[in-house]
Amino acid sequence: MLAEVLPPPVAPVAVDEVKAFLRLETAAEDAVIAGFVRAASGLAEAFTGQWLIARDFTEALASGPAWHRLGVAPVVAITGARDAAGPLPGGSYETDIDRHGAGWVRLRRGDAAGRVTVSGRAGLAADWNGVPEAVRLGVIRMAAHLFAHRDDPQASALPGAVSALWRPWRGVGV
C-alpha cells in the first residue's frame, strides 16, 4: 500500500547545477528549470522506488496481527502508530526496518478497530549532499533533457544515460 500522505519530492540538486550543465548564464529560465528539477526528482523516485531526501510520512494500514510492509522506502524511522481512538501504546505494536530499508509494522493486540495510521521518516539522504552522486547526476541530466525538449510530447521518456545512472539504485520488487 502506498503512503496516503506523499509529500512532494525534495530536489536533490540545485538549479545552478542544471544551469551549469546546460551552459546557461542568465536567471531568465530559473523558474522553468526549478520545475524540471522537481519533475526529474519525482521521476528518479518513481524509477528507483525510493525517496531521495528524507521526509516524514503517514500511512494507513488495515489493523490485524500480520506484518504489514510500508509503501515508502527506504524507511529511516517508524515514529508511531495511532487508531481512531488516538496513539497506540508502544507495547501494542512491533516495528522492523530490514536491511533493504523496507519498514514493517505488526499489531500485537487485535483490539485496534479499523485502520491504523503509522508515521515515520523515509529517504536515502538527509539533504541533497547525501544523495548518491550517480542519482544526482541522473536528476541533473533528466532536468536538462526536459528543459531542452520542453516542446516535445515525448520529452518525459527516460534517456538511456539517465536510466543507466539510476538502475543500480532501483529496488527490485518480488
Side-chain angles (χ1 to χ4, degrees):
M1 169 184 283
L2 291 177
E4 292 192 351
V5 177
L6 291 174
V10 178
V13 299
V15 169
D16 289 342
E17 291 178 276
V18 178
K19 285 173 58 176
F21 186 83
L22 290 166
R23 297 183 180 99
L24 296 175
E25 296 179 8
T26 69
E29 305 277 8
D30 283 6
V32 174
I33 292 170
F36 288 136
V37 168
R38 287 189 302 273
S41 299
L43 290 169
E45 290 185 346
F47 185 88
T48 63
Q50 301 182 70
W51 285 3
L52 301 182
I53 297 179
R55 53 197 189 266
D56 295 334
F57 70 87
T58 58
E59 182 171 340
L61 303 172
S63 63
W67 282 99
H68 299 277
R69 182 178 179 158
L70 299 176
V72 297
V75 175
V76 177
I78 299 170
T79 57
R82 63 183 306 118
D83 62 11
L88 298 179
S92 65
Y93 64 96
E94 294 178 86
T95 64
D96 185 37
I97 301 172
D98 67 24
R99 65 186 177 98
H100 302 290
W104 298 85
V105 178
R106 178 173 70 172
L107 298 173
R108 296 182 81 179
R109 13 176 271 222
D111 59 348
R115 300 182 74 71
V116 172
T117 302
V118 176
S119 57
R121 191 159 182 81
L124 276 174
D127 59 26
W128 64 271
N129 285 319
V131 174
E133 198 59 35
V135 177
R136 290 181 74 248
L137 182 56
V139 171
I140 291 168
R141 291 184 67 106
M142 188 67 207
H145 172 80
L146 292 169
F147 179 83
H149 299 90
R150 61 184 172 255
D151 293 327
D152 181 358
Q154 303 299 319
S156 63
L158 200 62
V162 173
S163 176
L165 289 165
W166 290 343
R167 193 172 296 117
W169 296 95
R170 190 173 201 170
V172 178
V174 178

